[in-house]
Amino acid sequence: MDSQRIESALKDQFVAQGHRIVFWNDPDREFEETLPDLDLGDVTLLRLDQVCGLEVKVRLELTDTQGRYLLYAPCEPPEVEQDWLLDVRLYSASFRADRASMLLSELGLTQQSLRLHLAERARFFASRDRLDRLKRLLNPNDTAQDIDRKIIAVLVKADQSEFFNVLIALFDAMPEGHLDALPPAWEEMEKFGVQAAFWDLAGSQFGYQEGAPTLKNLLIRLLVSDLNHACRGALPEGLKPLTLPRQGAANAVVCLAQWRDSSTRGSSYESLSAGVADAVKLTQHLGALEIEALAEVKTFLLVEQVVASRLRDRVLETAQTIKPEAIRTITAHRQDGYWAARALPDTPRAPRRSLYAVYAALQTAADLFALRNTHLGGLAQPDPRALLRAYTGGLYRFDQLYRQFCEAADYAESHDWDILKSLRKEVEQVYGTGFVAALALEWNKHLETGLLGSWRIDDLPNQQAFFEREVARVLAKGSDRRVFVIISDALRFEIAQELSGLLNGKYRFDADLSAQLGVLPSYTGLGMAALLPHQALDYDEGGTIRVDGLPCGSLEQRGRVLDAVQGVAVKADDFMAMKKDEGRAFVKPYRVVYVYHDQVDAVGDKAATEGQTFGAVRKAIDDLCDLVSKIINSLNGNHLVITADHGFLFQETPPGETDKNALASKPAGTLLAKKRYLLGRNLPASDQAWHGTTAVTAGAGGGMEFWVPKGANRFHFVGGSRFVHGGAMPQEIVVPIIRVHHVKETGSAAKTRTRTVGVSVLGSNFKVTTNRCRFELIQTEPVGERVKPVTLKVAIYDGAEPVTNIETLTFDSTSTDMNQWKKTVSLTLEGRRFDSKTIFQLILRDIETGVEEARFDVTIDLAFINDF
């Protein structure tokens, strides 16, 4: 060691650490020749082999009590009984210049007994970079085992030195996730002599003892033990020899939970767990396990596949008596789990959004079957008003649940999760035969009794009166009033219901939903005309609808109609493309702004794209939310109405010949023939269709008559057949109206503020007495439009470090039954001793924001530390 480093180390003792007297024992006389070269300023050098102890003692304690002294001895310190300077030595500092002692000093370690251990790790300390990185991890009272663990942490580039973190980093570095491949750091651990220390740590932490230990073997036992823990002892016999001892298994659970929770190392867990599943032939062992035994398992993706498949079978097998809340308990828990959590990203090994969609499809199917079961007695209502009120009051849920199921199932299948085919068939049967056909049968009865002769239903205003009712009355309240009207082509009632709920979940938005009786036939030209301001609608000789004598088929033509009320027409895409100032300048001259949005009809009404109808619905909902936000937040819109020209019918299964009202030929007088309607003059009556006049059903002159097929049938299948409109089914003619208001008053606006639902823990004075503990959590109110669901991470912490596994729970119950608000979380403590006097914290943290929602003090008093 060079004199400069010795000089620096000695000055550190005298100056930085403030010692007056420093003893330097150099038994091998390695540095005797260096003494004359040392420049220690006002420090006096005394050689104890040249000055007797009594003289030194008198000088230090009587003659010069202020001076600083370096007492050098080319030997070991004398025995206590022979040490004249023992009392001085006890209140002074000691210095050694051998490599190990210098390291001991530089690393800030206090135990002199570690010198030999540091000497044995000399090759590791040859690198200044490794030394500096280790120094940042060490504590003064660290033991030899602590030092080795932290050396391993440096070699594996772990960000923390706790053994769980070190082990995760080591596994994370295994090339390509191959179980037999060793990480680069493993060779370095052998080179620097810490492999044996690693296996000692694995033994103390996990109880892992093997004659020839390997990382692959350890990993298998960790994951199988985690599986065993989650199965609550139901592990198949063939896997039990691969588990760890009880206390070690508890640590395995916590360690793997931390690995899965890592944002930077989770992907290696996915690949390695797949490798372990193959290695232990997991598929062969899962056959006898029921869903309930696997409900808590997060260890393997293969288990997720098994749970989803078996839950699908359960939904099918219990369809006639299904309890959707029981299914929801399972689906919600799995969606909170590691493999299906939307909060985590998709990876090649973990198609989370697909799995989430599978569970969403299973839940909506269960809800659909339950809805069907409540209407097994039929859909009969005494009059058309009652039937349409039943539709807007709840029967629309058949359409909504069917759409949501198909949307989720389509997504899963498009990403190669093809486990829902058998369920699709039952869903199609329940929706098509169980609802659409049944609704058509009941609605036909009312159409037969003369409804087409009046086309009036109490409490359901006609579509052709829309402008006077929804726009003109607002304009009449003042010359400063401006009304925005968004017309979304084919926005049927059930979509509007979902949209209104989303709008009511936005701050300062207040949306209310109602319905109007659409024109018949329910097609775009007539529906759009009916929504415009007009004194009269009529058809010209060629069958084109006109508004007060003006054509209205194009955007420009509708704009000219709106000129009469100081209005303008604009396409939604063009409108959204305007910047804030452009938008304000655009609307400033107008009192009425009609925004035309076409997403659903544009996709559904084409043979090539009709299969994407429900995807188009989702985009339409997103588009309309954005449109409303722009109008209210950027353009100061206070009066906004969303409506449609008509609705639609859609089923994923193409209709068969029995769904077709085959026409041998078009009747004389036909001007326009589509899948769900014919328009013409002097049309004859037909047993195959409903016959009516647009004068009655739309207030349109020109002597136009129509045929629409009975029920949900089509006249022909040309140009696509799954997406249709034009007929008289409730899905086509119950046209939504959403009135959106900008809430400005301080008190009222506060009521529109959204928040996440609160969550608390039932009980008090939380005391954990076993390694496996359960807490019951409860949301504080129902989730609704203004109260949003929350997903929480839950664990027990010691300061910033979790001492249990980390579990995820979502609180989203809309029920008013408090029993539905409760969820139970099971946590497993690390297998170590806990001080019963230490206060730990049960912490609930929002998974999206990372904000701590609540914490509760917990004491841990274990009678037996291996009580697992």
Side-chain angles (χ1 to χ4, degrees):
M1 184 170 292
D2 59 70
S3 60
Q4 186 176 359
R5 291 191 65 184
I6 295 174
E7 188 176 290
S8 176
L10 285 169
K11 286 182 177 179
D12 182 71
Q13 294 274 358
F14 286 107
V15 179
Q17 299 185 40
H19 297 298
R20 186 172 80 90
I21 302 168
V22 175
F23 286 81
W24 180 4
N25 288 88
D26 180 20
D28 297 325
R29 295 180 178 266
E30 291 181 73
F31 306 102
E32 188 173 18
E33 294 180 1
T34 307
L35 294 177
D37 300 327
L38 297 179
D39 179 10
L40 301 178
D42 63 350
V43 175
T44 302
L45 171 66
L46 294 179
R47 292 186 55 137
L48 298 183
D49 60 332
Q50 297 176 0
V51 182
C52 70
L54 181 60
E55 180 182 346
V56 172
K57 187 175 180 67
V58 169
R59 184 170 180 176
L60 296 179
E61 295 190 336
L62 296 176
T63 307
D64 184 6
T65 59
Q66 301 298 318
R68 297 190 293 182
Y69 289 86
L70 174 63
L71 307 182
Y72 174 85
C75 58
E76 293 287 357
E79 296 294 329
V80 171
E81 295 82 359
Q82 305 298 322
D83 191 356
W84 283 81
L85 300 175
L86 176 63
D87 58 337
V88 178
R89 192 183 300 275
L90 290 175
Y91 67 74
S92 303
S94 295
F95 173 77
R96 285 184 181 266
D98 61 278
R99 177 67 173 162
S101 297
M102 291 290 289
L103 277 173
L104 198 70
S105 175
E106 184 173 357
L107 295 174
L109 298 169
T110 59
Q111 299 183 45
Q112 291 293 321
S113 59
L114 292 173
R115 291 172 57 248
L116 178 59
H117 188 77
L118 294 178
E120 292 173 350
R121 303 288 182 261
R123 292 186 69 186
F124 174 86
F125 295 110
S127 164
R128 187 72 211 179
D129 176 65
R130 289 194 297 266
L131 179 66
D132 289 342
R133 284 191 285 145
L134 179 66
K135 190 174 180 180
R136 289 193 289 268
L137 297 176
L138 290 174
N139 295 314
N141 296 319
D142 277 347
T143 64
Q145 188 180 58
D146 293 329
I147 293 170
D148 283 347
R149 171 169 50 82
K150 293 176 181 181
I151 286 175
I152 297 170
V154 170
L155 296 176
V156 302
K157 296 180 173 58
D159 50 359
Q160 297 176 36
S161 63
E162 289 74 15
F163 186 63
F164 290 176
N165 194 272
V166 170
L167 183 63
I168 291 168
L170 189 63
F171 284 139
D172 183 66
M174 292 177 75
E176 302 299 323
H178 296 310
L179 300 187
D180 293 311
L182 294 173
W186 190 250
E187 185 177 339
E188 287 192 300
M189 289 167 59
E190 183 178 18
K191 174 182 175 182
F192 298 124
V194 290
Q195 276 191 7
F198 172 83
W199 292 120
D200 287 343
L201 287 163
S204 64
Q205 290 288 322
F206 302 113
Y208 177 71
Q209 301 290 338
E210 293 285 337
T214 66
L215 288 178
K216 175 181 178 179
N217 188 272
L218 173 59
L219 181 63
I220 288 173
R221 278 155 176 73
L222 289 170
L223 269 73
V224 174
S225 298
D226 186 60
L227 175 63
N228 182 47
H229 163 83
C231 288
R232 298 181 181 275
L235 190 72
E237 289 296 325
L239 294 176
K240 287 183 178 178
L242 300 177
T243 58
L244 295 164
R246 286 186 175 183
Q247 183 179 346
N251 279 342
V253 170
V254 178
C255 178
L256 294 186
Q258 292 181 11
W259 190 0
R260 289 190 291 263
D261 191 57
S262 170
S263 60
T264 57
R265 297 194 167 111
S267 61
S268 61
Y269 178 87
E270 294 157 13
S271 58
L272 289 172
S273 64
V276 171
D278 289 339
V280 303
K281 298 179 172 58
L282 185 61
T283 304
Q284 300 176 14
H285 297 286
L286 295 179
L289 295 179
E290 297 294 332
I291 292 176
E292 284 68 25
L294 298 172
E296 300 294 328
V297 175
K298 300 179 180 67
T299 318
F300 299 103
L301 174 62
L302 181 60
V303 171
E304 205 71 60
Q305 294 171 289
V306 170
V307 170
S309 298
R310 292 183 184 170
L311 189 59
R312 173 206 60 203
D313 295 342
R314 179 174 294 182
V315 170
L316 280 168
E317 291 163 4
T318 63
Q320 301 296 329
T321 57
I322 200 160
K323 296 180 179 178
E325 284 304 322
I327 301 299
R328 183 170 287 105
T329 298
I330 300 171
T331 57
H333 188 64
R334 299 314 299 184
Q335 287 174 325
D336 281 341
Y338 178 71
W339 299 102
R342 285 193 300 181
L344 297 175
D346 270 350
T347 69
R349 296 272 188 179
R352 292 186 172 86
R353 280 159 183 74
S354 297
L355 277 165
Y356 189 95
V358 167
Y359 288 117
L362 292 172
Q363 186 58 58
T364 52
D367 291 338
L368 180 63
F369 295 163
L371 184 62
R372 183 271 312 272
N373 294 343
T374 63
H375 292 283
L376 289 177
L379 305 176
Q381 295 291 338
D383 54 58
R385 173 177 177 271
L387 184 55
L388 292 187
R389 288 188 67 181
Y391 179 78
T392 59
L395 291 181
Y396 72 86
R397 283 282 289 161
F398 279 99
D399 299 317
Q400 194 173 73
L401 288 170
Y402 175 73
R403 169 175 61 83
Q404 291 168 349
F405 170 84
C406 292
E407 184 183 358
D410 288 347
Y411 183 89
E413 290 179 7
S414 69
H415 290 76
D416 299 324
W417 278 81
D418 193 16
I419 69 170
L420 297 170
K421 281 189 175 179
S422 56
L423 184 59
R424 271 188 182 276
K425 293 179 181 178
E426 184 64 20
V427 167
E428 287 290 324
Q429 177 70 16
V430 167
Y431 179 68
T433 303
F435 175 64
V436 175
L439 181 64
L441 183 64
E442 292 302 323
W443 187 236
N444 282 349
K445 293 177 183 178
H446 298 302
L447 293 176
E448 285 174 349
T449 58
L451 178 60
L452 286 175
S454 64
W455 206 242
R456 292 287 187 275
I457 294 179
D458 291 344
D459 302 330
L460 201 66
N462 287 80
Q463 187 178 19
Q464 60 266 31
F466 168 83
F467 186 86
E468 288 300 320
R469 187 180 62 252
E470 301 295 336
V471 181
R473 67 177 181 82
V474 177
L475 299 177
K477 293 180 179 179
S479 60
D480 60 338
R481 301 300 173 97
R482 177 185 292 120
V483 180
F484 292 85
V485 177
I486 300 174
I487 302 174
S488 185
D489 203 327
L491 185 78
R492 70 180 180 183
F493 186 82
E494 60 90 2
I495 305 170
Q497 191 278 335
E498 183 175 335
L499 173 61
S500 65
L502 292 173
L503 293 175
N504 274 327
K506 294 181 179 291
Y507 181 49
R508 290 185 177 272
F509 287 15
D510 180 37
D512 67 85
L513 172 67
S514 63
Q516 56 190 340
L517 182 62
V519 295
L520 194 62
S522 52
Y523 73 101
T524 298
L526 183 56
M528 291 295 187
L531 296 171
L532 288 167
H534 62 271
Q535 297 298 315
L537 301 177
D538 64 86
Y539 284 90
D540 64 16
E541 287 300 316
T544 300
I545 188 70
R546 292 179 175 272
V547 175
D548 294 336
L550 297 174
C552 58
S554 69
L555 182 76
E556 293 74 16
Q557 290 170 347
R558 292 169 193 164
R560 285 193 285 273
V561 172
L562 288 166
D563 284 342
V565 291
Q566 201 176 338
V568 66
V570 61
K571 288 184 179 180
D573 289 344
D574 296 338
F575 189 69
M576 285 300 296
M578 296 177 189
K579 295 179 180 178
K580 183 175 181 179
D581 291 341
E582 290 178 296
R584 289 187 172 185
F586 174 78
V587 303
K588 187 175 182 180
Y590 305 108
R591 299 189 66 200
V592 178
V593 180
Y594 269 47
V595 183
Y596 288 92
H597 174 261
D598 186 9
Q599 179 63 40
V600 179
D601 199 72
V603 172
D605 210 19
K606 295 181 179 67
T609 58
E610 67 173 352
Q612 303 166 25
T613 293
F614 288 152
V617 169
R618 180 56 52 200
K619 186 176 187 310
I621 290 173
D622 294 340
D623 288 350
L624 293 170
C625 283
D626 292 342
L627 267 171
V628 172
S629 295
K630 181 182 181 75
I631 290 170
I632 289 181
N633 294 329
S634 297
L635 306 182
N636 297 324
N638 295 322
H639 304 283
L640 171 60
V641 182
I642 304 170
T643 189
D645 49 351
H646 54 75
F648 65 88
L649 290 168
F650 179 83
Q651 278 187 252
E652 294 219 329
T653 301
E657 286 299 316
T658 57
D659 301 305
K660 184 176 181 181
N661 278 6
L663 299 176
S665 61
K666 298 175 187 176
T670 299
L671 296 175
L672 184 64
K674 296 294 184 179
K675 287 171 286 188
R676 285 281 288 166
Y677 66 95
L678 298 179
L679 275 175
R681 293 188 174 91
N682 301 314
L683 298 179
S686 171
D687 293 336
Q688 297 176 304
W690 301 116
H691 177 231
T693 68
T694 57
V696 171
T697 60
M704 192 62 66
E705 300 175 15
F706 63 82
W707 279 7
V708 294
K710 295 183 177 181
N713 288 355
R714 284 79 161 156
F715 286 137
H716 59 79
F717 297 156
V718 177
S721 57
R722 291 183 287 165
F723 177 93
V724 293
H725 61 85
M729 284 288 285
Q731 291 93 331
E732 299 168 284
I733 54 88
V734 176
V735 176
I737 300 174
I738 304 176
R739 302 172 190 86
V740 187
H741 304 286
H742 184 199
V743 182
K744 292 184 176 181
E745 296 81 2
T746 303
S748 299
K751 296 178 182 179
T752 71
R753 191 181 299 276
T754 60
R755 63 186 186 281
T756 56
V757 67
V759 178
S760 188
V761 181
L762 293 174
S764 58
N765 299 322
F766 301 111
K767 184 176 183 179
V768 175
T769 57
T770 61
N771 285 72
R772 201 168 191 169
C773 48
R774 293 165 67 87
F775 295 90
E776 192 168 32
L777 284 66
I778 185 169
Q779 64 188 62
T780 55
E781 59 187 321
V783 166
E785 292 173 339
R786 306 292 184 191
V787 181
K788 301 300 182 182
V790 66
T791 300
L792 302 175
K793 285 185 178 182
V794 183
I796 297 176
Y797 287 80
D798 181 4
E801 295 300 318
V803 296
T804 66
N805 52 314
I806 302 169
E807 292 295 323
T808 303
L809 295 175
T810 295
F811 293 86
D812 59 358
S813 176
T814 59
S815 173
T816 55
D817 180 0
M818 292 181 63
N819 290 317
Q820 301 296 328
W821 300 356
K822 299 176 183 177
K823 291 196 175 186
T824 300
V825 63
S826 179
L827 301 176
T828 299
L829 289 168
E830 293 179 1
R832 64 175 175 87
R833 295 188 180 278
F834 291 90
D835 185 348
S836 61
K837 296 180 181 179
T838 298
I839 302 299
F840 300 86
Q841 282 78 40
L842 175 69
I843 296 179
L844 283 54
R845 184 170 284 117
D846 189 317
I847 196 171
E848 180 180 352
T849 64
V851 172
E852 184 180 301
E853 295 293 329
R855 69 165 55 204
F856 303 87
D857 288 345
V858 175
T859 57
I860 301 175
D861 188 5
L862 303 182
F864 303 98
I865 65 169
N866 63 346
D867 182 19
F868 179 66

